[in-house]
Amino acid sequence: MSTTMAPNVKAVSSPGKRTVYSMCGMCAVRCPMEVKVEDGRVTWLQGNTHDKAIGASLCAKGAAGLAFEADDQRPQTPLIRSGPRGSGQWRRASWDEALDHIADKLKDTVETFGPRGIALSDRGGFFNDLARTFVKALGSPNYFNHDVTCGGNVHNAARATFGFSHAALVPDFERTKHLVLYGRNIVESLMVKEVKAFMTAMSRGMRCTYIDPRASATAAKATRFWQVRPNSDYALNLALIHEVLQKEAYDKDFVERFVSGMDVLREAVKDTTPEWQEAHTGVPAGELREFVAEIAGQRPGVVFNPGWMTARHKQSFHVSRTALILNALMGNLEVPGGFIIGKRPVFYGRKGLKPLAERVPAVAEPRVDGAGTTHPTWDPAIGALHQLFAAAETGQPYGIGAYIAYRHDPVTALPDAEALKRAMDKLNLIVSIDVRYSETGWYSDVILPESTYLERANILAQLPGPVPVFVMRDQAIAPRFDSRPAWWIFREILRRMGRMEALDFETIEEIWNYQLEGTGVTVDDMREAGIVRLADAPRLGTRDELKFFTPSGKIEIDSALMAKAGLPFLPPYQPNTAPGGDRFTLLFGRPPTLAHGQSLNNPLLREAAPEQRLWIHPERASPLGIRDGDWVEVSGGGSYVGRLRALVTKWIHAEAVFMLHGYGATVPLATRALGVGVADQRLQHGKLYEFDPAGAGNALTETTVRVQRAAMQGVPA
Ligand SMILES: Nc1nc2c(c(=O)[nH]1)N[C@H]1C(S)=C(S)[C@@H](COP(=O)(O)OP(=O)(O)OC[C@H]3O[C@@H](n4cnc5c(=O)[nH]c(N)nc54)[C@H](O)[C@@H]3O)O[C@H]1N2
Ligand SMILES: Nc1nc2c(c(=O)[nH]1)N[C@H]1C(S)=C(S)[C@@H](COP(=O)(O)OP(=O)(O)OC[C@H]3O[C@@H](n4cnc5c(=O)[nH]c(N)nc54)[C@H](O)[C@@H]3O)O[C@H]1N2
Ligand code: SF4
Ligand SMILES: [Mo]
């Protein structure tokens, strides 16, 4: 049988108007949405109105989905490299040819390195059962998600302390009295449901303390803003805990029953007074005391959101952990106004989706990054991606021959693209499965175009929450080009590797039926509203039901996992030295209209994208002769020099400069993004293998850059 036939085209060719339930694919948040289709064409996109938390809302990126669909500047057939890597020489290939080519190279890899020499990384999230199953079916332990440059440290800190991920902690915004955010720029780096809930909570009077070296739009909404020194949040948290304990402003019953290691905590914070932290963070001791007095009267409705920006420097595992500990001290777990713990179906007496990964036996080989073995605090479910590239480069602890980037663009997402490419050069196969030309795709050997989120269906996903739900991304329209859905691509590679049993399905409906087995939910139920709630209303667990999945069953300040890893529970704060003269700490973030590197080539989002400017404090700009609007040059120590205009403002800490991420693309076929702005990741020179030892997250916010006024002003010709 020819394997090239496109699946599921029949499902979408029906005439007339209809609504298809899907999930937005314009960023990794994946909001539930409704797609209006007329005669096989999408006419309207909006949020899924069956989900009250989102209603009809989408963000600007979501609304630009039609422009993305209409864009021809994306891979239209499989492509095989025909010149040196990165040279941009490609030949079009049929699916059979491209897949055979990949399978041949994978077989070579297995021969040289064993199955463990094949690795895959993806964007993680709801649908990752598929990619995990694929890697497991190949016999490799080396599945990675993107988390070393995102929330990995927060995730690992929560795992080491609570025994579950921070993703299971859902703030009860409707009743929260005080929300504390560490660089969590809720209103710009947004998730539609969350920003709506936040704005509603603020208008009913919720207090918000926002901590950031930069005044983002969230700072403007907050009721208190602390412009801290970059990477100093750990000092702040140690002092907050000191003051909370000293003033006995914590929930003694909760702590007594659920927290282990309070003696360790008391010892670690005995000298970290409000005055001590002032020199490190810049937050006046008096303001810190006022804050603690305020929350003493608000708890347990006080939520310390560990965010993501606590996750990008060498002590950020401990920032996240102390933020999580502060929540425990507030006693705010599973109480109104605090964090509601995400429930699994079994909590409501229901059965969850059947995992595809169960179809394949466990892989006995250890992971190449040592996650879960030599590094007990690194969750093997997410891995430490930089260590994959370290192994590709050195052959230690074992060699890696083939790498698949699925829905992931590490050349943009990991720091120091030059160093990464040096490691990639050692691989004998690099495959990118993407919907557009990513920087990684451009440096790969084969590009496989996945059908876009509107042109394909995904496996079903199960999301924990106060009420767990099953969600669906159904196919709305036929693919415009010669693309395929991921489940089909993975199945066809497995078929060629003699491992098809894992994904032996002919249609997506067959997969859905398999997943839904025994749940009492049918494919028709899923198609009715795109979302099935597993209970009518949320039920708060009682304290007797509260469980932590640590060895002691408690919240472990004296974490058994950390002890096993030989890590100190609460090490002393290590301040960074303040850069002076023309040196600055480089900070970064996102605008509401762009998702990482994937949006700037979208015609509508390119138009809406703000000009990328370098935020710099007047006291530091002035001695360098830099005035607002001047062109400046930024260098991170490598050969790459960025050129952009200065935004001279006191709303950035004097030690830091700030720029938006998602600019500076180099792929010639994506003409609208090409050469626009500066790639912050390319300025993060030498940071590929610099990471937090406890959580494995890359130390992105410890980058020092040099800034000078450009000799040549104005736009280069
Ligand atoms: N310097 C610096 N580095 C950073 C960051 C930063 O701000 N500055 N941010 C960090 C953060 S928080 C994160 S999460 C990571 C994000 O890094 P990535 O996960 O790499 O980024 P994304 O843009 O979300 O998506 C990755 C790729 O998936 C592709 N894609 C989108 N939709 C689909 C689809 O439907 N199918 C397939 N197959 N592919 C698809 C996109 O085109 C893109 O190439 O970057 C991190 N790295
Ligand atoms: N529009 C849009 N929304 C998105 C995304 C997107 O690409 N575009 N991506 C999604 C993803 S993957 C993620 S992870 C989230 C990211 O969500 P956030 O982490 O909220 O997003 P960033 O824009 O990276 O914001 C980081 C802020 O942290 C501050 N910061 C830097 N260093 C420090 C520090 O040491 N301490 C403190 N307290 N603050 C610091 C920066 O100045 C900046 O204002 O956004 C999600 N939402
Ligand atoms: S946040 Fe915006 S772009 Fe991201 S999934 Fe939701 S609507 Fe789409
Ligand atoms: Mo992220």
Side-chain angles (χ1 to χ4, degrees):
M1 179 191 110
S2 164
T3 57
T4 49
M5 201 178 73
N8 276 7
V9 177
K10 67 173 183 338
V12 293
S13 46
S14 51
K17 288 188 195 183
R18 53 198 193 103
T19 297
V20 177
Y21 292 100
S22 180
M23 304 180 83
C24 177
M26 295 300 285
C27 90
V29 173
R30 292 169 267 217
C31 295
M33 73 171 192
E34 295 175 22
V35 184
K36 309 289 177 193
V37 182
E38 223 173 306
D39 298 330
R41 283 178 33 251
V42 178
T43 53
W44 183 248
L45 300 172
Q46 66 175 41
N48 184 340
T49 50
H50 294 279
D51 185 338
K52 296 282 170 286
I54 191 156
S57 311
L58 293 177
C59 79
K61 303 182 296 299
L66 285 180
F68 172 65
E69 186 56 39
D71 192 1
D72 289 352
Q73 290 191 3
R74 50 180 162 119
Q76 303 184 2
T77 67
L79 297 170
I80 300 178
R81 178 167 66 81
S82 59
R85 274 197 186 134
S87 66
Q89 297 169 59
W90 301 96
R91 67 184 163 82
R92 292 202 172 88
S94 69
W95 278 92
D96 271 337
E97 189 189 357
L99 294 166
D100 287 347
H101 176 82
I102 290 170
D104 284 349
K105 295 277 187 175
L106 291 179
K107 284 176 192 158
D108 289 349
T109 300
V110 172
E111 212 159 275
T112 316
F113 301 104
R116 66 186 188 178
I118 305 172
L120 174 146
S121 71
D122 74 4
R123 189 58 167 76
F126 312 167
F127 301 115
N128 70 12
D129 185 21
L130 179 72
R132 282 179 195 281
T133 305
F134 169 73
V135 179
K136 203 173 163 197
L138 287 170
S140 171
N142 291 318
Y143 163 86
F144 298 80
N145 80 8
H146 72 296
D147 258 342
V148 279
T149 52
C150 183
N153 286 334
V154 189
H155 170 92
N156 284 328
R159 176 174 172 264
T161 313
F162 291 174
F164 50 71
S165 173
H166 68 297
L169 298 171
V170 186
D172 180 22
F173 276 124
E174 274 177 37
R175 291 169 287 195
T176 301
K177 294 197 178 113
H178 199 142
L179 177 66
V180 184
L181 300 169
Y182 303 82
R184 173 69 194 104
N185 187 5
I186 284 191
V187 304
E188 293 178 285
S189 303
L190 59 89
M191 307 198 273
V192 175
K193 283 185 200 181
E194 187 187 41
V195 70
K196 286 183 84 169
F198 172 79
M199 293 306 287
T200 308
M202 290 305 288
S203 54
R204 71 154 170 79
M206 180 176 75
R207 304 273 299 168
C208 174
T209 293
Y210 183 75
I211 304 157
D212 192 321
R214 176 185 77 111
S216 66
T218 307
K221 301 278 176 211
T223 46
R224 179 188 280 104
F225 170 46
W226 281 335
Q227 189 172 35
V228 289
R229 285 190 65 208
N231 303 320
S232 69
D233 311 60
Y234 184 41
L236 180 73
N237 279 354
L238 291 173
L240 284 173
I241 295 171
H242 173 98
E243 182 69 5
V244 163
L245 294 181
Q246 168 120 78
K247 294 282 153 40
E248 302 197 1
Y250 64 99
D251 184 335
K252 289 188 186 144
D253 291 344
F254 183 89
V255 166
E256 174 88 3
R257 188 160 169 195
F258 294 109
V259 180
S260 142
M262 282 298 284
D263 48 335
V264 173
L265 187 65
R266 286 183 201 285
E267 177 60 25
V269 302
K270 69 178 191 311
D271 300 324
T272 61
T273 62
E275 283 72 22
W276 165 81
Q277 67 79 43
E278 184 168 332
H280 293 302
T281 68
V283 174
E287 283 189 28
L288 188 148
R289 288 207 169 87
E290 266 168 41
F291 166 80
V292 171
E294 187 185 331
I295 60 169
Q298 294 164 327
R299 75 182 166 77
V302 181
V303 166
F304 288 82
N305 184 327
W308 284 285
M309 254 312 154
T310 52
R312 289 159 197 161
H313 61 85
K314 286 201 233 47
Q315 278 201 318
S316 56
F317 177 94
H318 301 292
V319 182
S320 313
R321 213 167 96 84
T322 42
L324 293 164
I325 290 170
L326 278 160
N327 286 300
L329 294 176
M330 297 296 107
N332 70 7
L333 292 151
E334 204 65 357
V335 291
F339 273 125
I340 309 297
I341 298 176
K343 306 296 185 304
R344 301 194 182 151
V346 64
F347 182 83
Y348 292 102
R350 299 289 297 263
K351 199 165 170 290
L353 292 179
K354 195 159 143 189
L356 292 165
E358 277 178 4
R359 297 167 63 87
V360 249
V363 175
E365 292 285 347
R367 293 181 55 90
V368 76
D369 54 7
T373 51
T374 45
H375 296 287
T377 52
W378 301 0
D379 187 353
I382 68 173
L385 184 60
H386 42 76
Q387 291 307 293
L388 171 74
F389 294 106
E393 208 163 344
T394 62
Q396 297 301 325
Y398 55 77
I400 297 290
Y403 167 63
I404 302 171
Y406 161 53
R407 203 183 196 290
H408 194 197
D409 183 11
V411 175
T412 302
L414 285 173
D416 199 345
E418 274 77 70
L420 178 61
K421 286 179 180 173
R422 276 198 300 278
M424 288 167 85
D425 285 341
K426 299 282 169 61
L427 296 163
N428 46 40
L429 176 69
I430 307 171
V431 179
S432 160
I433 307 175
D434 208 305
V435 289
R436 54 169 204 116
Y437 298 110
S438 71
E439 298 286 308
T440 307
W442 204 248
Y443 205 71
S444 67
D445 305 327
V446 186
I447 298 179
L448 297 179
E450 185 174 20
S451 307
T452 69
Y453 67 104
L454 295 169
E455 301 169 341
R456 69 163 193 266
N458 277 58
I459 62 169
L460 298 175
Q462 173 183 312
L463 314 185
V467 170
V469 293
F470 296 160
V471 286
M472 151 182 269
R473 176 186 275 151
D474 203 354
Q475 185 180 359
I477 51 170
R480 282 186 59 214
F481 302 116
D482 190 14
S483 62
R484 295 289 186 276
W487 68 266
W488 184 94
I489 297 172
F490 289 139
R491 184 193 70 179
E492 289 308 315
I493 296 174
L494 290 180
R495 180 202 298 278
R496 287 163 172 79
M497 298 299 287
R499 299 290 176 106
M500 233 248 310
E501 325 78 73
L503 291 176
D504 191 6
F505 301 99
E506 282 306 313
T507 62
I508 191 72
E509 282 83 0
E510 270 182 40
I511 302 185
W512 291 343
N513 280 319
Y514 170 87
Q515 292 182 285
L516 288 169
E517 236 172 79
T519 61
V521 177
T522 64
V523 170
D524 285 345
D525 297 335
M526 291 303 308
R527 279 209 161 114
E528 213 170 289
I531 177 164
V532 168
R533 294 160 62 84
L534 298 189
D536 293 333
R539 177 173 78 77
L540 223 50
T542 62
R543 285 219 162 162
D544 286 337
E545 287 170 305
L546 201 49
K547 274 200 204 85
F548 298 94
F549 298 99
T550 52
S552 67
K554 292 192 167 193
I555 295 173
E556 293 184 352
I557 293 173
D558 50 355
S559 159
L561 263 186
M562 293 175 73
K564 199 168 155 202
L567 292 165
F569 297 131
L570 291 149
Y573 169 66
Q574 279 174 356
N576 290 343
T577 41
D582 58 0
R583 309 286 151 141
F584 296 81
T585 299
L586 175 65
L587 303 182
F588 53 82
R590 34 209 111 249
T593 49
L594 299 179
H596 309 284
Q598 64 170 286
S599 315
L600 202 56
N601 204 51
N602 180 300
L604 291 181
L605 296 175
R606 171 71 188 87
E607 216 177 295
E611 182 195 353
Q612 191 193 32
R613 301 268 291 257
L614 187 78
W615 294 40
I616 183 168
H617 196 278
E619 280 167 20
R620 299 292 305 285
S622 165
L624 298 172
I626 297 168
R627 282 162 314 191
D628 191 46
D630 280 356
W631 286 88
V632 293
E633 283 173 358
V634 191
S635 112
S639 59
Y640 181 74
V641 178
R643 194 183 144 83
L644 73 174
R645 293 201 306 143
L647 177 75
V648 177
T649 167
K650 65 181 169 53
W651 297 113
I652 178 76
H653 194 279
E655 285 174 27
V657 286
F658 171 89
M659 68 171 69
L660 291 169
H661 176 62
Y663 295 73
T666 67
V667 177
L669 294 185
T671 58
R672 299 174 213 105
L674 179 65
V676 177
V678 177
D680 60 325
Q681 70 277 8
R682 295 182 67 192
L683 294 167
Q684 292 162 344
H685 182 70
K687 296 289 173 200
L688 180 58
Y689 301 132
E690 227 182 86
F691 54 89
D692 180 335
N698 280 89
L700 301 182
T701 55
E702 288 183 43
T703 303
T704 303
V705 289
R706 181 170 177 221
V707 178
Q708 33 184 178
R709 187 170 185 275
M712 189 95 87
Q713 292 292 309
V715 189

